[in-house]
Amino acid sequence: MSKVYQIRRLALLLVSGFTIGLVSCQEERDPDVRPRLNIPQVYDSVGYRFNSEPLQPLIQQFADLVGEARKGGQRGTYVSEESLNAAFTQGNFSLLSVTTPYFASRLQAQNNGFFAELSKASGGTFYPFDRSWEGGVYGTYLFDEYGLEMGQMIEKGLYGAALYNYALSLTKGTFTPATADQILYVYGASPMFYNSDNGTFYQNPDRLMAAYAARRDDATGTGLYSQNRLAFITLQAALQEGEDYNTYRDEALAAIKLNWEKINAATVINTIHASTSILNSTGLTEQQRADVLHLISEAAGFLHGWRTIDAGNKKITDNQIDELLTLLNAPYDRSASVYRFVTNTTEELPKLSQAVARIQGIYGFTNEEVESFRRNYVADQAR
């Protein structure tokens, strides 16, 4: 056997062994085992300001619409339907363009849309025991003739119908770390996650739904605000790592959506708790009665805005929303009777505890959580 032949044979054996080794390694790797994601302690803020800047006009338009609606709370001040509609539709990137078609129709419907009803009530005076007019100011709020505060239906309804709905739309295109920044901006938190809406302490405090999340969070690191903070950090980290980490991305996004919805529900419970507490007291003043109607309208607005959101992106069903709105005397398909909570309290009051129980069952809140939702922890803890 020649020396050249021996060398060639040895080389062939080495190459064959290396190839077999590669195949063996590939066969031993479990395709179901996902790579480990290193989740940082903080959210990367480097691109947040740049990525969120295009969304600022939308949030400003939301603030402008809310500000226009609130003018009606001043006695003798008229708010036109046209001014409300203009604030809703102005610009190429308008609130109208991101709002669910259903809710947009409820806002803009002629004669009985939320804009029209607010306009008709403005400049007038409302009294729940004598509803002979189109509605008006009662206490410090503007109500329609049924005791429903249209300003709350507009503002709190858009939290779901426009802001959450737009956040969902961001996930349907190219999903990058910039997308995470934009969802975070619409949610209302900054990369610092202050867990506070106190503008005295922070230059950029939490706002929008993140502000309500902070109020419902006891700052122990386990509340809804803290859970969403971790979910956002995980989402950003997964997106930065690329497609191999899509499972982490999807799980984090699912957690954000559920927590967002739970925060909305927890705040509904908070407002119902507050209204129940007032109604259970004696010797109510006119302002306290107005506060009750305001709080129940706020709860109805938060719920109504989630109606017709895609079923795959929410836990609550439209039928459940409809049942809750009926318990709040603010049904979606007929005239409200919210005023009855202050004129027929004994008869109507049980509906509020029923609504809380329904919400608790839908989201699986514990009794301790439901009780904790009474509190505004940002105020209570002075943080």
Side-chain angles (χ1 to χ4, degrees), residues 348-368:
E348 301 295 324
L349 188 58
K351 293 180 179 179
L352 297 180
S353 59
Q354 292 171 29
V356 170
R358 296 276 184 91
I359 296 170
Q360 180 179 8
I362 291 168
Y363 294 101
F365 293 133
T366 65
N367 292 336
E368 292 74 16

Side-chain angles (χ1 to χ4, degrees), residues 106-350:
R106 295 307 303 264
L107 293 172
Q108 296 181 298
Q110 294 183 349
N111 299 321
N112 64 350
F114 297 163
F115 293 159
E117 290 297 324
L118 189 149
S119 180
K120 288 188 290 186
S122 65
T125 301
F126 176 74
Y127 187 57
F129 297 93
D130 180 16
R131 301 178 301 103
S132 56
W133 303 96
E134 288 282 5
V137 174
Y138 179 50
T140 54
Y141 311 107
L142 177 68
F143 300 101
D144 73 356
E145 64 267 40
Y146 303 108
L148 188 61
E149 186 183 357
M150 285 300 162
Q152 289 302 308
M153 296 301 292
I154 294 167
E155 177 184 353
K156 299 315 191 304
L158 286 172
Y159 271 69
L163 301 182
Y164 180 75
N165 187 57
Y166 179 61
L168 293 177
S169 72
L170 291 171
T171 68
K172 296 177 182 177
T174 302
F175 206 166
T176 68
T179 310
D181 287 343
Q182 293 176 335
I183 296 173
L184 180 62
Y185 182 78
V186 175
Y187 170 63
S190 76
M192 299 303 294
F193 286 98
Y194 291 119
N195 197 9
S196 173
D197 62 348
N198 193 328
T200 302
F201 296 156
Y202 305 103
Q203 185 176 0
N204 296 301
D206 292 304
R207 52 189 177 74
L208 304 173
M209 191 54 71
Y212 289 101
R215 296 177 190 181
R216 306 284 86 80
D217 192 295
D218 63 3
T220 61
T222 61
L224 290 169
Y225 186 98
S226 301
Q227 291 176 37
N228 242 11
R229 174 184 179 276
L230 177 59
F232 269 108
I233 292 173
T234 304
L235 175 66
Q236 183 189 56
L239 289 168
Q240 288 174 338
E241 291 296 334
E243 292 185 359
D244 289 345
Y245 295 80
N246 280 355
T247 301
Y248 290 100
R249 177 202 67 186
D250 295 342
E251 289 175 352
L253 180 61
I256 289 169
K257 291 191 293 186
L258 180 58
N259 287 331
W260 196 321
E261 186 180 352
K262 282 184 171 182
I263 294 159
N264 189 80
T267 301
V268 171
I269 291 176
N270 170 268
T271 60
I272 295 175
H273 277 327
S275 57
T276 301
S277 179
I278 296 171
L279 289 173
N280 279 325
S281 59
T282 57
L284 296 185
T285 66
E286 297 303 325
Q287 183 58 54
Q288 286 177 312
R289 291 190 178 97
D291 288 341
V292 168
L293 302 183
H294 162 75
L295 288 164
I296 293 174
S297 297
E298 189 173 13
F302 274 125
L303 287 167
H304 205 148
W306 286 73
R307 198 169 189 279
T308 73
I309 292 286
D310 178 65
N313 290 305
K314 66 181 181 185
K315 186 174 182 63
I316 195 169
T317 68
D318 284 349
N319 285 338
Q320 290 169 331
I321 292 173
D322 295 346
E323 291 171 358
L324 288 166
L325 290 175
T326 298
L327 286 173
L328 296 178
N329 288 348
Y332 84 96
D333 57 350
R334 58 188 184 277
S335 297
S337 56
V338 180
Y339 68 92
R340 288 180 56 84
F341 283 106
V342 297
T343 62
N344 301 70
T345 301
T346 302
E347 179 183 346
E348 301 295 324
L349 188 58

